[in-house]
Amino acid sequence: MPLCCVSSSCSATVFAAAPRFWVGRSVVQLGASEMGSKRGVSNSSIPESATSEDKEGKKLKGLVASVPSSGTSHIKENSGESITDVVGLKNDLARIEAMTFQELRATLRRIGIPAKGRKPDLISALKCYFDQEMNVSKREENSDEKNCVEIGSESKSKMQRSKREKQSTREITMKVDGIVIRSKQMQSTVTDEIAGEMAKGKMAKGEILSISKKQVTGICIEGGGGEVNGMIEPWTILTHKKPQKHWVAYNPRTMRPPPLSRNVNSVKLMSWNVNGLRALLKMEGFSAGQLAQREMFDVLCLQETKLQEKDVEAIKDRLMEGYENSYWTCSVSKLGYSGTAIISRKKPLSVTYGLGISDHDSEGRLITAEFDSFYLLSSYVPNSGDGLRRLTYRTTEWDPSLGSYIKELEKSKPVILTGDLNCAHQEIDIYDPAGNKRSAGFTIEERESFEANFLSRGFVDTYRRQHPHAVGYTYWGYRHGLRKTNKGWRLDYFLVSESIAGKVHDSYILPDISGSDHSPIGLILKL
């Protein structure tokens, strides 16, 4: 079986590894690459389909009521009913329920509101008008500004409709200053364009953004959103096309637990799909030594190194001091493709390459390192590819073989499987689930295979167990700058045996580290 395994000291480095400590809120912004997206079928290459909200909006028959800024009523007197009778409804809203469809239409026309829709819509429109009249008279006496109330035609209940209308029509003020972003989660807030402006830093510190008269679904602002060097960090913005009420954006600055005490024995693991290690090391502003110094990991697992065996020795000399044990496997069936590595401070007890199955082991997709208390696997699971041409191979051959392999290892000690597993398991793990149902990485076949071969066999998704409602992505396509607007996928995992899941102190994502279309992920395990 082809492999290239090396364990030697790295000499040509600038940054020496410092003593083990926790680096809390320090930020090292690594360089960004403009390489094309590697993912054959993803949300970066597939035109985004219209959202369900957009489709529904076209069907709705809206009723718009212009609410005056003062307390005076703008009611047209028509024959058949006096102004006094119409105004009297304001003080007896129960009468509105008893009105006939024709009476409701006539009343709405008298006060200048288009009377379209079903009877519940007309009732809601009339009630909303009087509610706004009363509110305006109390708080807007000195205001010239007119607010527009937009009412949809479908409602589950009057209480839900009232709540939704107030949310969609009130003026939302956001001060772009990390500590004062609204902490309240909302289903309808700002548009993708607004989120993009925030991510690009075009909204200066202290600037006030007022949004009104518009209801847009699909973007939520998560409380505690951070600002670094005057720029909003895009991952603090919850971006999802079908967000649930209890979801929040994953923010590693506020959602990671306190560091362990120095006297607690632990290991810190990191995994990163680098999308070409040579290109990463050539990137201006990137330093493997700085990354090691900042994160102080004990073991680093790499995927998609894209190295050939002849490149390994030269690459090792450009890595990190203090990590003298490095193990590499390269693709021989397709040069400059795939490839994985494990780089460690401590020498493993043993190292194994591949699954031991020739049909799976020519692309350099797996390394297993045995340590005292666990096995650690760095894996780059095959992508199903353009047109899903490798979907059957991936779900019926690779995944079952890998699942059986790790269950066999587990007979002797717990297993930690990490890497780019090329599957967004649930809808919370992908920005646009509806638009990617037949995209590689989110097909029902891949998701069911992920469940059947790993999770149902006793392995725990450590990030999801720690953060059941946190939307955190690890991959963003290059093609449309999706990282800037946080429209991504969670494809990278730390899966662990159930027997050690309780020892996980932290499973986290480092979205501020760029240089690849993936971000690094980490795991801190108490030993």
Side-chain angles (χ1 to χ4, degrees), residues 355-382:
L355 291 168
I357 303 173
S358 58
D359 290 344
H360 300 326
D361 293 342
S362 64
E363 295 180 350
R365 292 187 175 273
L366 185 70
I367 299 180
T368 304
E370 179 187 5
F371 292 93
D372 293 333
S373 55
F374 58 86
Y375 286 102
L376 175 64
L377 287 74
S378 177
S379 177
Y380 179 39
V381 171

PDB file of all heavy atoms in Angstrom, residues 355-382:
ATOM      1  N   LEU A 355      -7.277   1.923   5.020  1.00  0.00           N
ATOM      2  CA  LEU A 355      -8.222   0.995   5.633  1.00  0.00           C
ATOM      3  C   LEU A 355      -7.786  -0.462   5.504  1.00  0.00           C
ATOM      4  O   LEU A 355      -8.434  -1.360   6.032  1.00  0.00           O
ATOM      5  CB  LEU A 355      -9.602   1.150   4.968  1.00  0.00           C
ATOM      6  CG  LEU A 355     -10.352   2.462   5.234  1.00  0.00           C
ATOM      7  CD1 LEU A 355     -11.537   2.596   4.281  1.00  0.00           C
ATOM      8  CD2 LEU A 355     -10.821   2.515   6.673  1.00  0.00           C
ATOM      9  N   GLY A 356      -6.699  -0.662   4.769  1.00  0.00           N
ATOM     10  CA  GLY A 356      -6.265  -2.035   4.500  1.00  0.00           C
ATOM     11  C   GLY A 356      -7.049  -2.671   3.368  1.00  0.00           C
ATOM     12  O   GLY A 356      -7.049  -3.892   3.209  1.00  0.00           O
ATOM     13  N   ILE A 357      -7.717  -1.842   2.565  1.00  0.00           N
ATOM     14  CA  ILE A 357      -8.488  -2.305   1.411  1.00  0.00           C
ATOM     15  C   ILE A 357      -7.957  -1.566   0.183  1.00  0.00           C
ATOM     16  O   ILE A 357      -8.050  -0.341   0.107  1.00  0.00           O
ATOM     17  CB  ILE A 357      -9.995  -2.028   1.596  1.00  0.00           C
ATOM     18  CG1 ILE A 357     -10.507  -2.689   2.877  1.00  0.00           C
ATOM     19  CG2 ILE A 357     -10.784  -2.495   0.384  1.00  0.00           C
ATOM     20  CD1 ILE A 357     -11.939  -2.324   3.230  1.00  0.00           C
ATOM     21  N   SER A 358      -7.412  -2.293  -0.752  1.00  0.00           N
ATOM     22  CA  SER A 358      -6.707  -1.660  -1.872  1.00  0.00           C
ATOM     23  C   SER A 358      -7.603  -0.722  -2.674  1.00  0.00           C
ATOM     24  O   SER A 358      -7.141   0.319  -3.162  1.00  0.00           O
ATOM     25  CB  SER A 358      -6.127  -2.739  -2.800  1.00  0.00           C
ATOM     26  OG  SER A 358      -7.163  -3.588  -3.282  1.00  0.00           O
ATOM     27  N   ASP A 359      -8.874  -1.055  -2.775  1.00  0.00           N
ATOM     28  CA  ASP A 359      -9.774  -0.201  -3.554  1.00  0.00           C
ATOM     29  C   ASP A 359      -9.966   1.170  -2.918  1.00  0.00           C
ATOM     30  O   ASP A 359     -10.388   2.119  -3.586  1.00  0.00           O
ATOM     31  CB  ASP A 359     -11.150  -0.866  -3.691  1.00  0.00           C
ATOM     32  CG  ASP A 359     -11.112  -2.081  -4.608  1.00  0.00           C
ATOM     33  OD1 ASP A 359     -10.126  -2.219  -5.363  1.00  0.00           O
ATOM     34  OD2 ASP A 359     -12.055  -2.897  -4.564  1.00  0.00           O
ATOM     35  N   HIS A 360      -9.670   1.293  -1.625  1.00  0.00           N
ATOM     36  CA  HIS A 360      -9.888   2.560  -0.918  1.00  0.00           C
ATOM     37  C   HIS A 360      -8.594   3.302  -0.596  1.00  0.00           C
ATOM     38  O   HIS A 360      -8.655   4.466  -0.175  1.00  0.00           O
ATOM     39  CB  HIS A 360     -10.613   2.301   0.411  1.00  0.00           C
ATOM     40  CG  HIS A 360     -11.957   1.660   0.267  1.00  0.00           C
ATOM     41  ND1 HIS A 360     -12.801   1.905  -0.789  1.00  0.00           N
ATOM     42  CD2 HIS A 360     -12.607   0.770   1.078  1.00  0.00           C
ATOM     43  CE1 HIS A 360     -13.911   1.210  -0.629  1.00  0.00           C
ATOM     44  NE2 HIS A 360     -13.812   0.493   0.475  1.00  0.00           N
ATOM     45  N   ASP A 361      -7.459   2.652  -0.763  1.00  0.00           N
ATOM     46  CA  ASP A 361      -6.237   3.199  -0.174  1.00  0.00           C
ATOM     47  C   ASP A 361      -5.266   3.835  -1.153  1.00  0.00           C
ATOM     48  O   ASP A 361      -4.128   4.145  -0.788  1.00  0.00           O
ATOM     49  CB  ASP A 361      -5.510   2.089   0.608  1.00  0.00           C
ATOM     50  CG  ASP A 361      -6.288   1.644   1.827  1.00  0.00           C
ATOM     51  OD1 ASP A 361      -7.182   2.405   2.255  1.00  0.00           O
ATOM     52  OD2 ASP A 361      -6.004   0.547   2.349  1.00  0.00           O
ATOM     53  N   SER A 362      -5.676   4.067  -2.387  1.00  0.00           N
ATOM     54  CA  SER A 362      -4.749   4.652  -3.361  1.00  0.00           C
ATOM     55  C   SER A 362      -4.804   6.173  -3.399  1.00  0.00           C
ATOM     56  O   SER A 362      -4.014   6.811  -4.085  1.00  0.00           O
ATOM     57  CB  SER A 362      -5.057   4.105  -4.760  1.00  0.00           C
ATOM     58  OG  SER A 362      -6.353   4.516  -5.182  1.00  0.00           O
ATOM     59  N   GLU A 363      -5.746   6.777  -2.654  1.00  0.00           N
ATOM     60  CA  GLU A 363      -5.902   8.233  -2.717  1.00  0.00           C
ATOM     61  C   GLU A 363      -5.409   8.937  -1.452  1.00  0.00           C
ATOM     62  O   GLU A 363      -5.589  10.149  -1.311  1.00  0.00           O
ATOM     63  CB  GLU A 363      -7.373   8.593  -2.966  1.00  0.00           C
ATOM     64  CG  GLU A 363      -7.860   8.126  -4.335  1.00  0.00           C
ATOM     65  CD  GLU A 363      -9.316   8.483  -4.601  1.00  0.00           C
ATOM     66  OE1 GLU A 363     -10.009   8.923  -3.643  1.00  0.00           O
ATOM     67  OE2 GLU A 363      -9.773   8.329  -5.740  1.00  0.00           O
ATOM     68  N   GLY A 364      -4.791   8.209  -0.531  1.00  0.00           N
ATOM     69  CA  GLY A 364      -4.202   8.842   0.655  1.00  0.00           C
ATOM     70  C   GLY A 364      -5.216   9.536   1.545  1.00  0.00           C
ATOM     71  O   GLY A 364      -4.980  10.650   2.008  1.00  0.00           O
ATOM     72  N   ARG A 365      -6.301   8.841   1.862  1.00  0.00           N
ATOM     73  CA  ARG A 365      -7.410   9.496   2.563  1.00  0.00           C
ATOM     74  C   ARG A 365      -7.484   9.213   4.060  1.00  0.00           C
ATOM     75  O   ARG A 365      -8.350   9.771   4.737  1.00  0.00           O
ATOM     76  CB  ARG A 365      -8.745   9.094   1.919  1.00  0.00           C
ATOM     77  CG  ARG A 365      -8.908   9.644   0.511  1.00  0.00           C
ATOM     78  CD  ARG A 365     -10.289   9.392  -0.040  1.00  0.00           C
ATOM     79  NE  ARG A 365     -10.470  10.029  -1.350  1.00  0.00           N
ATOM     80  CZ  ARG A 365     -10.874  11.272  -1.538  1.00  0.00           C
ATOM     81  NH1 ARG A 365     -11.127  12.034  -0.486  1.00  0.00           N
ATOM     82  NH2 ARG A 365     -11.007  11.764  -2.747  1.00  0.00           N
ATOM     83  N   LEU A 366      -6.600   8.409   4.605  1.00  0.00           N
ATOM     84  CA  LEU A 366      -6.748   8.051   6.021  1.00  0.00           C
ATOM     85  C   LEU A 366      -5.414   7.711   6.661  1.00  0.00           C
ATOM     86  O   LEU A 366      -4.608   6.967   6.098  1.00  0.00           O
ATOM     87  CB  LEU A 366      -7.692   6.851   6.149  1.00  0.00           C
ATOM     88  CG  LEU A 366      -8.053   6.416   7.570  1.00  0.00           C
ATOM     89  CD1 LEU A 366      -8.954   7.457   8.231  1.00  0.00           C
ATOM     90  CD2 LEU A 366      -8.741   5.051   7.556  1.00  0.00           C
ATOM     91  N   ILE A 367      -5.190   8.258   7.856  1.00  0.00           N
ATOM     92  CA  ILE A 367      -4.061   7.874   8.709  1.00  0.00           C
ATOM     93  C   ILE A 367      -4.610   7.612  10.103  1.00  0.00           C
ATOM     94  O   ILE A 367      -5.444   8.376  10.614  1.00  0.00           O
ATOM     95  CB  ILE A 367      -2.988   8.978   8.800  1.00  0.00           C
ATOM     96  CG1 ILE A 367      -2.404   9.288   7.428  1.00  0.00           C
ATOM     97  CG2 ILE A 367      -1.877   8.570   9.754  1.00  0.00           C
ATOM     98  CD1 ILE A 367      -1.341  10.365   7.460  1.00  0.00           C
ATOM     99  N   THR A 368      -4.133   6.561  10.738  1.00  0.00           N
ATOM    100  CA  THR A 368      -4.523   6.233  12.110  1.00  0.00           C
ATOM    101  C   THR A 368      -3.287   6.261  12.996  1.00  0.00           C
ATOM    102  O   THR A 368      -2.301   5.582  12.714  1.00  0.00           O
ATOM    103  CB  THR A 368      -5.158   4.835  12.188  1.00  0.00           C
ATOM    104  OG1 THR A 368      -6.270   4.765  11.299  1.00  0.00           O
ATOM    105  CG2 THR A 368      -5.610   4.518  13.604  1.00  0.00           C
ATOM    106  N   ALA A 369      -3.338   7.059  14.060  1.00  0.00           N
ATOM    107  CA  ALA A 369      -2.249   7.125  15.039  1.00  0.00           C
ATOM    108  C   ALA A 369      -2.774   6.603  16.372  1.00  0.00           C
ATOM    109  O   ALA A 369      -3.812   7.066  16.861  1.00  0.00           O
ATOM    110  CB  ALA A 369      -1.737   8.550  15.190  1.00  0.00           C
ATOM    111  N   GLU A 370      -2.053   5.646  16.948  1.00  0.00           N
ATOM    112  CA  GLU A 370      -2.447   5.091  18.240  1.00  0.00           C
ATOM    113  C   GLU A 370      -1.682   5.790  19.352  1.00  0.00           C
ATOM    114  O   GLU A 370      -0.447   5.833  19.348  1.00  0.00           O
ATOM    115  CB  GLU A 370      -2.155   3.590  18.284  1.00  0.00           C
ATOM    116  CG  GLU A 370      -2.527   2.959  19.615  1.00  0.00           C
ATOM    117  CD  GLU A 370      -2.095   1.508  19.720  1.00  0.00           C
ATOM    118  OE1 GLU A 370      -1.407   1.023  18.772  1.00  0.00           O
ATOM    119  OE2 GLU A 370      -2.407   0.863  20.736  1.00  0.00           O
ATOM    120  N   PHE A 371      -2.407   6.358  20.303  1.00  0.00           N
ATOM    121  CA  PHE A 371      -1.798   6.961  21.484  1.00  0.00           C
ATOM    122  C   PHE A 371      -2.168   6.129  22.713  1.00  0.00           C
ATOM    123  O   PHE A 371      -2.868   5.114  22.604  1.00  0.00           O
ATOM    124  CB  PHE A 371      -2.260   8.409  21.630  1.00  0.00           C
ATOM    125  CG  PHE A 371      -1.735   9.318  20.545  1.00  0.00           C
ATOM    126  CD1 PHE A 371      -2.492   9.549  19.393  1.00  0.00           C
ATOM    127  CD2 PHE A 371      -0.487   9.909  20.653  1.00  0.00           C
ATOM    128  CE1 PHE A 371      -2.008  10.372  18.392  1.00  0.00           C
ATOM    129  CE2 PHE A 371      -0.009  10.736  19.649  1.00  0.00           C
ATOM    130  CZ  PHE A 371      -0.760  10.966  18.510  1.00  0.00           C
ATOM    131  N   ASP A 372      -1.708   6.550  23.873  1.00  0.00           N
ATOM    132  CA  ASP A 372      -1.897   5.739  25.075  1.00  0.00           C
ATOM    133  C   ASP A 372      -3.359   5.429  25.358  1.00  0.00           C
ATOM    134  O   ASP A 372      -3.702   4.292  25.707  1.00  0.00           O
ATOM    135  CB  ASP A 372      -1.295   6.451  26.296  1.00  0.00           C
ATOM    136  CG  ASP A 372       0.221   6.545  26.205  1.00  0.00           C
ATOM    137  OD1 ASP A 372       0.822   5.683  25.542  1.00  0.00           O
ATOM    138  OD2 ASP A 372       0.789   7.487  26.784  1.00  0.00           O
ATOM    139  N   SER A 373      -4.228   6.415  25.218  1.00  0.00           N
ATOM    140  CA  SER A 373      -5.610   6.231  25.660  1.00  0.00           C
ATOM    141  C   SER A 373      -6.643   6.316  24.548  1.00  0.00           C
ATOM    142  O   SER A 373      -7.841   6.246  24.823  1.00  0.00           O
ATOM    143  CB  SER A 373      -5.951   7.263  26.744  1.00  0.00           C
ATOM    144  OG  SER A 373      -5.696   8.580  26.282  1.00  0.00           O
ATOM    145  N   PHE A 374      -6.202   6.462  23.296  1.00  0.00           N
ATOM    146  CA  PHE A 374      -7.172   6.526  22.197  1.00  0.00           C
ATOM    147  C   PHE A 374      -6.470   6.327  20.855  1.00  0.00           C
ATOM    148  O   PHE A 374      -5.249   6.482  20.741  1.00  0.00           O
ATOM    149  CB  PHE A 374      -7.917   7.864  22.190  1.00  0.00           C
ATOM    150  CG  PHE A 374      -7.012   9.073  22.081  1.00  0.00           C
ATOM    151  CD1 PHE A 374      -6.588   9.564  20.845  1.00  0.00           C
ATOM    152  CD2 PHE A 374      -6.585   9.730  23.227  1.00  0.00           C
ATOM    153  CE1 PHE A 374      -5.765  10.667  20.755  1.00  0.00           C
ATOM    154  CE2 PHE A 374      -5.751  10.850  23.143  1.00  0.00           C
ATOM    155  CZ  PHE A 374      -5.352  11.309  21.905  1.00  0.00           C
ATOM    156  N   TYR A 375      -7.287   6.009  19.850  1.00  0.00           N
ATOM    157  CA  TYR A 375      -6.840   6.053  18.459  1.00  0.00           C
ATOM    158  C   TYR A 375      -7.311   7.378  17.866  1.00  0.00           C
ATOM    159  O   TYR A 375      -8.446   7.803  18.096  1.00  0.00           O
ATOM    160  CB  TYR A 375      -7.459   4.915  17.644  1.00  0.00           C
ATOM    161  CG  TYR A 375      -6.890   3.551  17.906  1.00  0.00           C
ATOM    162  CD1 TYR A 375      -7.580   2.643  18.712  1.00  0.00           C
ATOM    163  CD2 TYR A 375      -5.684   3.146  17.343  1.00  0.00           C
ATOM    164  CE1 TYR A 375      -7.080   1.367  18.948  1.00  0.00           C
ATOM    165  CE2 TYR A 375      -5.179   1.880  17.563  1.00  0.00           C
ATOM    166  CZ  TYR A 375      -5.872   1.000  18.375  1.00  0.00           C
ATOM    167  OH  TYR A 375      -5.367  -0.257  18.597  1.00  0.00           O
ATOM    168  N   LEU A 376      -6.458   7.999  17.065  1.00  0.00           N
ATOM    169  CA  LEU A 376      -6.815   9.239  16.376  1.00  0.00           C
ATOM    170  C   LEU A 376      -6.714   9.008  14.871  1.00  0.00           C
ATOM    171  O   LEU A 376      -5.669   8.587  14.372  1.00  0.00           O
ATOM    172  CB  LEU A 376      -5.886  10.380  16.786  1.00  0.00           C
ATOM    173  CG  LEU A 376      -6.070  11.706  16.046  1.00  0.00           C
ATOM    174  CD1 LEU A 376      -7.455  12.304  16.318  1.00  0.00           C
ATOM    175  CD2 LEU A 376      -4.983  12.715  16.449  1.00  0.00           C
ATOM    176  N   LEU A 377      -7.805   9.286  14.149  1.00  0.00           N
ATOM    177  CA  LEU A 377      -7.836   9.097  12.700  1.00  0.00           C
ATOM    178  C   LEU A 377      -8.016  10.445  12.017  1.00  0.00           C
ATOM    179  O   LEU A 377      -8.933  11.206  12.362  1.00  0.00           O
ATOM    180  CB  LEU A 377      -8.995   8.187  12.283  1.00  0.00           C
ATOM    181  CG  LEU A 377      -8.885   6.695  12.584  1.00  0.00           C
ATOM    182  CD1 LEU A 377      -9.087   6.401  14.078  1.00  0.00           C
ATOM    183  CD2 LEU A 377      -9.908   5.918  11.770  1.00  0.00           C
ATOM    184  N   SER A 378      -7.150  10.746  11.061  1.00  0.00           N
ATOM    185  CA  SER A 378      -7.307  11.917  10.193  1.00  0.00           C
ATOM    186  C   SER A 378      -7.845  11.413   8.860  1.00  0.00           C
ATOM    187  O   SER A 378      -7.174  10.658   8.154  1.00  0.00           O
ATOM    188  CB  SER A 378      -5.967  12.629   9.985  1.00  0.00           C
ATOM    189  OG  SER A 378      -6.104  13.725   9.089  1.00  0.00           O
ATOM    190  N   SER A 379      -9.080  11.845   8.529  1.00  0.00           N
ATOM    191  CA  SER A 379      -9.750  11.280   7.354  1.00  0.00           C
ATOM    192  C   SER A 379     -10.247  12.374   6.415  1.00  0.00           C
ATOM    193  O   SER A 379     -10.750  13.411   6.853  1.00  0.00           O
ATOM    194  CB  SER A 379     -10.942  10.416   7.801  1.00  0.00           C
ATOM    195  OG  SER A 379     -11.654   9.918   6.685  1.00  0.00           O
ATOM    196  N   TYR A 380     -10.105  12.110   5.125  1.00  0.00           N
ATOM    197  CA  TYR A 380     -10.686  12.967   4.087  1.00  0.00           C
ATOM    198  C   TYR A 380     -11.627  12.090   3.272  1.00  0.00           C
ATOM    199  O   TYR A 380     -11.212  11.374   2.368  1.00  0.00           O
ATOM    200  CB  TYR A 380      -9.576  13.567   3.219  1.00  0.00           C
ATOM    201  CG  TYR A 380     -10.063  14.447   2.100  1.00  0.00           C
ATOM    202  CD1 TYR A 380     -11.137  15.309   2.273  1.00  0.00           C
ATOM    203  CD2 TYR A 380      -9.430  14.434   0.851  1.00  0.00           C
ATOM    204  CE1 TYR A 380     -11.582  16.128   1.244  1.00  0.00           C
ATOM    205  CE2 TYR A 380      -9.859  15.261  -0.180  1.00  0.00           C
ATOM    206  CZ  TYR A 380     -10.936  16.099   0.025  1.00  0.00           C
ATOM    207  OH  TYR A 380     -11.389  16.910  -0.993  1.00  0.00           O
ATOM    208  N   VAL A 381     -12.899  12.131   3.635  1.00  0.00           N
ATOM    209  CA  VAL A 381     -13.897  11.255   3.013  1.00  0.00           C
ATOM    210  C   VAL A 381     -14.129  11.679   1.567  1.00  0.00           C
ATOM    211  O   VAL A 381     -14.215  12.873   1.268  1.00  0.00           O
ATOM    212  CB  VAL A 381     -15.217  11.310   3.822  1.00  0.00           C
ATOM    213  CG1 VAL A 381     -16.336  10.597   3.088  1.00  0.00           C
ATOM    214  CG2 VAL A 381     -15.001  10.692   5.205  1.00  0.00           C
ATOM    215  N   PRO A 382     -14.246  10.726   0.646  1.00  0.00           N
ATOM    216  CA  PRO A 382     -14.446  11.083  -0.766  1.00  0.00           C
ATOM    217  C   PRO A 382     -15.695  11.938  -0.978  1.00  0.00           C
ATOM    218  O   PRO A 382     -16.764  11.659  -0.419  1.00  0.00           O
ATOM    219  CB  PRO A 382     -14.591   9.718  -1.451  1.00  0.00           C
ATOM    220  CG  PRO A 382     -13.924   8.752  -0.548  1.00  0.00           C
ATOM    221  CD  PRO A 382     -14.137   9.265   0.836  1.00  0.00           C
TER     222      PRO A 382
END
